[in-house]
Amino acid sequence: MTESSNLKEILNRAKAEVAKVIIGQDLVVDSALIAIFTGHHALIEGVPGVAKTLLVRTLAHVLGCDFARIQFTPDLMPADITGTHVFNLQKNSFSLVKGPIFTTFLLADEINRAPAKTQSALLQAMQERAVTIDRRTHPLSNNFTVFATQNPIEYQGTYPLPEAQVDRFMMKIPMRHPDRAEELTLAKRMLGKQSPEAILNSGAVKPVINAAALADLRQQMEQIHVKDELTDYLVDIVRRTREHPGVLVGAGPRATQALLLSSRANAALADRDFVTPDDIKSLAVPVLGHRIILRPEYEIEGLAIEEVIAQILQEVTVPR
């Protein structure tokens, strides 16, 4: 079995196991796997009750990784996330009590309910996979991944995320309500012993790899070929976001890296060993949308970020 076929098999098996718990939401699952297999973080946006927490718990179980959850609230402090030193009377010295950030998959639940000071406690961990506590730096897992859920910004008691933090999320994944057929399936399963949580806790969902193998599989993404003209096309799209008349702040170089890597992972999910323009187009909104800030006068007129990206995709010539 070749490396690329092994990667495709693992991705397909992971999707099949997740589907035992998560009803529908195929695009959401694919996007989450893209973030994981490229070593990046994802922002999941949706109203309460659409299984955001359950999704991340299931992914951690399927991929054989540790899982921790932080419920963000207005009174949460940075030390509640990173941990702190506590004086040990028996040893007559300070010892570190690690916070929940010392895990592999971290669910930052309702991250935008905490003020910027607390949100910023994640910045170093997301960028460097390390945490500094009392001037000492502690390494995190090489597979450390943040899935931050946020309620729509219009909800009462929410704070906008700092731009520096938003840029560290590879993509924003919208999680919608299920359609009628999916919701009907969920309702029927809840009447018996087949509720999503019960299935996950019963052991019916099997891990397909472990944390050590995950890093090796990430390297296999390098086998996915990207033509030079597609790289030019991708860079032109990102740069055009900085030139659009309705955009105040366009996507930066980190967006270029994210779009390139996510497009390559999307090709792997589609059982291809090469990237196409459609891979780039399909990920333009999830990767670029949360990084773009519109000019207030255009926003007042009703211009949406999705419209801006659609215009850019029409304007930039697709390579043949």
Side-chain angles (χ1 to χ4, degrees):
M1 181 179 292
T2 65
E3 286 189 348
S4 60
S5 61
N6 183 46
L7 174 63
K8 294 169 187 175
E9 180 191 355
I10 293 297
L11 287 170
N12 288 331
R13 286 173 55 197
K15 290 171 64 175
E17 292 298 320
V18 171
K20 294 178 181 179
V21 177
I22 304 298
I23 300 171
Q25 305 287 4
D26 292 341
L27 186 58
V28 173
V29 173
D30 284 353
S31 299
L33 287 172
I34 286 172
I36 293 168
F37 277 82
T38 54
H40 285 74
H41 314 284
L43 189 62
I44 306 176
E45 184 176 80
V47 297
V50 291
K52 299 187 295 292
T53 303
L54 183 62
L55 169 67
V56 181
R57 280 184 57 207
T58 305
L59 285 168
H61 178 78
V62 168
L63 299 177
C65 294
D66 296 330
F67 168 80
R69 177 179 177 271
I70 303 172
Q71 179 64 50
F72 279 69
T73 57
D75 60 348
L76 190 73
M77 299 297 291
D80 297 327
I81 298 172
T82 60
T84 188
H85 285 94
V86 176
F87 189 73
N88 189 320
L89 290 173
Q90 293 179 335
K91 297 181 178 179
N92 197 32
S93 63
F94 285 92
S95 58
L96 175 64
V97 178
K98 293 182 177 180
I101 202 169
F102 287 88
T103 187
T104 305
F105 282 12
L106 176 68
L107 177 65
D109 210 0
E110 295 188 302
I111 190 173
N112 59 335
R113 288 205 181 277
K117 179 181 179 180
T118 301
Q119 293 171 7
S120 65
L122 291 175
L123 284 178
Q124 181 188 16
M126 292 174 68
Q127 183 65 27
E128 303 172 19
R129 287 184 167 82
V131 176
T132 299
I133 304 171
D134 294 337
R135 292 177 291 182
R136 290 189 60 185
T137 300
H138 305 269
L140 298 175
S141 165
N142 290 332
N143 296 321
F144 176 73
T145 303
V146 175
F147 284 96
T149 72
Q150 70 170 6
N151 295 324
I153 199 65
E154 296 82 8
Y155 268 50
Q156 186 175 5
T158 59
Y159 299 82
L161 299 182
E163 293 173 25
Q165 185 174 9
V166 167
D167 195 40
R168 281 169 171 78
F169 289 104
M170 169 178 262
M171 63 177 70
K172 183 169 80 171
I173 306 170
M175 203 162 180
R176 312 295 187 193
H177 287 296
D179 61 28
R180 187 182 186 280
E182 293 167 348
E183 197 161 359
L184 186 60
T185 299
L186 174 61
K188 290 179 178 179
R189 284 170 57 172
M190 292 299 294
L191 293 174
K193 297 181 180 180
Q194 297 296 312
S195 69
E197 290 84 357
I199 291 174
L200 180 59
N201 295 331
S202 70
V205 180
K206 304 297 182 183
V208 298
I209 55 172
N210 55 34
L214 183 56
D216 294 334
L217 286 168
R218 284 196 180 119
Q219 294 182 356
Q220 294 183 23
M221 287 290 177
E222 298 175 5
Q223 305 299 319
I224 308 297
H225 181 62
V226 185
K227 292 183 178 179
D228 290 342
E229 52 265 35
L230 279 180
T231 305
D232 293 341
Y233 172 64
L234 184 150
V235 169
D236 288 341
I237 290 173
V238 176
R239 293 182 64 84
R240 192 69 64 91
T241 66
R242 307 166 200 164
E243 302 165 0
H244 192 281
V247 173
L248 179 64
V249 179
R254 192 179 276 122
T256 303
Q257 301 168 38
L259 188 54
L260 180 62
L261 295 176
S262 61
S263 298
R264 196 163 62 178
N266 194 62
L269 283 169
D271 288 346
R272 281 184 278 104
D273 59 2
F274 59 92
V275 172
T276 69
D278 286 339
D279 291 318
I280 297 170
K281 289 180 179 179
S282 65
L283 287 159
V285 171
V287 172
L288 302 178
H290 62 293
R291 293 178 161 95
I292 294 174
I293 300 176
L294 297 177
R295 294 187 183 277
E297 60 270 27
Y298 283 85
E299 199 168 11
I300 291 172
E301 292 176 2
L303 181 66
I305 290 175
E306 292 78 6
E307 292 178 82
V308 171
I309 295 175
Q311 291 173 13
I312 291 171
L313 291 176
Q314 288 182 340
E315 292 169 0
V316 179
T317 303
V318 181
R320 298 295 180 187

